[in-house]
Amino acid sequence: GAGVSQSPRYKVAKRGQDVALRCDPISGHVSLFWYQQALGQGPEFLTYFQNEAQLDKSGLPSDRFFAERPEGSVSTLKIQRTQQEDSAVYLCASSLEGQLTEAFFGQGTRLTVV
Amino acid sequence: AQSVTQLDSQVPVFEEAPVELRCNYSSSVSVYLFWYVQYPNQGLQLLLKYLSGSTLVESINGFEAEFNKSQTSFHLRKPSVHISDTAEYFCAVRSGGYNKLIFGAGTRLAVHP
């Protein structure tokens, strides 16, 4: 597709449930990022992939959060045993490599944990 | 660690008035700066960026920002705003050798008729 695609757009989960959020980056983009945006806040970095390699996961808030990109294209962010504080919009972004590039963002998945 | 401060959480302004959204950053290395706009229920869209070269950068819809190294600022300006400019604006700095972005908390621009 022309842009970064995320699914589902909205997800309601009961506390304790596991969820999986999907990101389809722009074709050919080597780099992929996940961000978490809490209500009224700016996005916060979660993790970064270069192709299939997860090079930075310093922003993952706990070991309940897990991300993968097995074939260097589609990525999945999984949250196990969801808690209310996980409620946020999860944004995916992709970019080409290099210093003079920019990141393109998807529309996000709004996760509500009840 | 790098950080971004957006000094105003909300900026109300009347249509056709000028506006400035303030952004200050902290960084001890080469700086790459961005402004993103987020319309309701949409993702982030790049508005403009400073990567190198001229310190004054412009967008296609009339916004401009100036990189000021001495004041560590990257304020966003528009001489005359429209109702359609109502949105959340985020300033960001690139951290590290790849496109990892550190965002400010955002400024909600509300343009009134």
Side-chain angles (χ1 to χ4, degrees), chain A residues 2-6 9 23-26 29 31-37 42-47 89-95 101-109, chain B residues 34-38 42-47 90-93 99-103:
Chain A
V4 178
S5 178
Q6 293 187 245
R9 287 292 313 278
C23 173
D24 281 272
I26 294 172
H29 278 192
S31 300
L32 186 145
F33 307 81
W34 283 98
Y35 290 83
Q36 180 189 58
Q37 185 178 18
E44 293 193 359
F45 171 81
L46 293 177
T47 187
V89 176
Y90 291 85
L91 296 167
C92 177
S94 70
S95 73
T101 61
E102 66 186 76
F104 294 84
F105 283 80
Q107 291 186 300
T109 294
Chain B
F34 304 81
W35 275 99
Y36 281 84
V37 59
Q38 188 174 38
Q42 294 191 26
L44 296 167
Q45 300 174 30
L46 182 67
L47 191 59
F90 293 96
C91 181
V93 62
N99 262 314
K100 175 180 178 180
L101 297 172
I102 307 300
F103 286 89

Side-chain angles (χ1 to χ4, degrees), chain B residues 70-110:
Chain B
S70 63
Q71 296 185 4
T72 61
S73 68
F74 191 55
H75 301 331
L76 182 70
R77 302 184 182 95
K78 189 170 185 180
S80 176
V81 294
H82 301 134
I83 295 287
S84 60
D85 293 325
T86 294
E88 188 91 21
Y89 292 80
F90 293 96
C91 181
V93 62
R94 177 183 293 170
S95 172
Y98 48 93
N99 262 314
K100 175 180 178 180
L101 297 172
I102 307 300
F103 286 89
T107 297
R108 182 171 299 277
L109 176 63

Side-chain angles (χ1 to χ4, degrees), chain B residues 37-67:
Chain B
V37 59
Q38 188 174 38
Y39 298 102
N41 297 316
Q42 294 191 26
L44 296 167
Q45 300 174 30
L46 182 67
L47 191 59
L48 45 75
K49 59 188 176 186
Y50 170 77
L51 301 177
S52 64
S54 172
T55 57
L56 183 65
V57 291
E58 298 177 348
S59 71
I60 59 173
N61 57 352
F63 283 94
E64 65 178 30
E66 185 162 18
F67 169 55

Side-chain angles (χ1 to χ4, degrees), chain A residues 4-105:
Chain A
V4 178
S5 178
Q6 293 187 245
S7 61
R9 287 292 313 278
Y10 304 92
K11 176 69 179 177
V12 178
K14 290 185 178 179
R15 191 170 53 182
Q17 205 173 8
D18 297 349
V19 298
L21 313 180
R22 177 188 169 102
C23 173
D24 281 272
I26 294 172
S27 179
H29 278 192
V30 169
S31 300
L32 186 145
F33 307 81
W34 283 98
Y35 290 83
Q36 180 189 58
Q37 185 178 18
L39 188 65
Q41 301 295 317
E44 293 193 359
F45 171 81
L46 293 177
T47 187
Y48 160 63
F49 289 87
Q50 185 181 81
N51 295 306
E52 69 278 3
Q54 189 175 20
L55 300 185
D56 186 342
K57 53 182 180 179
S58 61
L60 295 178
S62 77
D63 58 8
R64 296 186 296 104
F65 286 71
F66 172 76
E68 60 183 7
R69 193 186 185 196
E71 298 179 358
S73 178
V74 171
S75 176
T76 304
L77 177 67
K78 297 179 180 178
I79 309 173
Q80 298 176 322
R81 305 181 303 281
T82 53
Q83 300 177 6
Q84 283 192 317
E85 60 262 32
D86 300 335
S87 296
V89 176
Y90 291 85
L91 296 167
C92 177
S94 70
S95 73
L96 296 168
E97 275 191 294
Q99 289 290 324
L100 301 183
T101 61
E102 66 186 76
F104 294 84
F105 283 80

